[in-house]
Amino acid sequence: MVILAVSLFATAQGRTGVKTALFIPQVLPTIPVKPQEWFTGAPRLEEVTYPTKNGFGVADLYTPAGEGAHGAVLLFLGVNPAGRDDPRVVGLAEGLAQAGVIVLIPWSQEMTQKKVSANEIESLVYAYEFLLDNDRVDPERSGMGGFCVGASFATVAAQDARIRDQVKFVNFFGGYFDAEDLAVSVTSASRFYGDVVEPWTPDKLSIEVVSSHLIGGLSDAGERALLERVFIVKDAVLDDGMLATMSAEAQAVHRLLSGVSRSEADDLVAGLPDEMRIELASISPATRLQDLDARVLLMHDRQDKLVPSEESRRLADALSERGGVYHTEFSLFQHVDPTRPVSPPIYARELFKLYLHMYNILRELD
């Protein structure tokens, strides 16, 4: 017993193992007891602003109790309609801070309104630089993480030359590898891996976000407003005569959002104007993957209805020769929430997988 206690607390691996075991209950609603709170002080939360190219960004900064240098992580939540007071967000950030990690969560007004903008990637670069400037942050133990769209944006930001060498890891949870592929999957209600294509029912949030992004890329303001009424507000319908008067790009977006086959969606997305395709490429981790130096830890819900899990598989495959990838697929999550009902044996298996994945993250930060 003494030897076990010494191995747990006297070695880096043992300490990380204990931290991981204490952290897991903090983020699982099915475990009512939160032992981490018995051993650590309450973290400090403050709203901070950081300079960006065109002004200032706003973020929540969670700092562990006590003094000394700590590992740090920037978390980007992407499209999060619930906002900064979401108990899941607070619980995750507090749990990491109680595990000895400084956590910075930048907030985007556009993202909370379900709008996706490539400008957020630039803001993440500035936010990460701001995080590393914190006197209590050890820059050698720092990384980024994100959820859904936020995972993809964080990965693109980590490719930026200004911070690339300083981002030690990226935790990619439920993100997409290629925005064009995601647009095709959502508009065709299908998922693919290699040559295998299967039916898929996308969540209404994914449909709304993809629809808003494609419509927002149209050059004509009147056509944007009309298609927003048709597909977002849903208080208008276009007849063939009205559709015939619209530009080719607007007609293509209308066809995509009306629902098409996988092959039709591929052709329509490939035929979008260059400006729209450049925008999609700019928010895709696939575009400049050769510039990503960080270790990549991938998490995905196998049955994810917001982003097909095949997106993470393709990212893992693309990085396989480079190495530095840890990839876990779960049955416990519903997208990024650990709330899917499963049998006790499956729950135990999933809990162990989550433990191993979080251990790998916390090892990077210890």
Side-chain angles (χ1 to χ4, degrees), residues 181-193 196-202 260-263 265-266 307-308 310-311 314:
D181 286 345
L182 179 61
V184 169
S185 290
V186 170
T187 56
S188 66
S190 65
R191 59 198 298 168
F192 80 100
Y193 184 67
V196 178
V197 177
E198 297 178 328
W200 177 62
T201 304
V260 290
S261 68
R262 179 104 205 168
S263 60
D266 275 326
V307 179
E310 288 84 355
E311 291 289 330
R314 286 191 288 276

Side-chain angles (χ1 to χ4, degrees), residues 39-157:
F39 302 100
T40 58
R44 177 186 176 189
L45 167 63
E46 59 180 316
E47 181 181 293
V48 296
T49 58
Y50 57 93
T52 64
K53 183 177 181 180
N54 299 312
F56 291 89
V58 177
D60 286 336
L61 180 68
Y62 291 79
T63 309
E67 302 298 328
H70 295 270
V73 62
L74 181 152
L75 294 180
F76 192 48
L77 305 181
V79 179
N80 180 42
R84 65 202 307 173
D85 296 324
D86 186 330
R88 298 168 299 178
V89 175
V90 174
L92 171 63
E94 289 183 343
L96 286 170
Q98 288 175 310
V101 180
I102 294 175
V103 182
L104 184 71
I105 305 180
W107 290 102
S108 162
Q109 188 64 30
E110 285 192 333
M111 292 294 224
T112 56
Q113 295 173 352
K114 308 176 187 178
K115 296 179 181 179
V116 175
S117 170
N119 294 331
E120 301 298 338
I121 295 169
E122 178 83 357
S123 181
L124 289 178
V125 174
Y126 284 102
Y128 194 72
E129 291 178 323
F130 171 82
L131 176 63
L132 296 191
D133 282 341
N134 188 301
D135 291 339
R136 293 189 62 190
V137 169
D138 178 356
E140 294 303 313
R141 296 182 285 150
S142 62
M144 305 178 82
F147 300 81
C148 195
V149 173
S152 301
F153 275 33
T155 307
V156 176

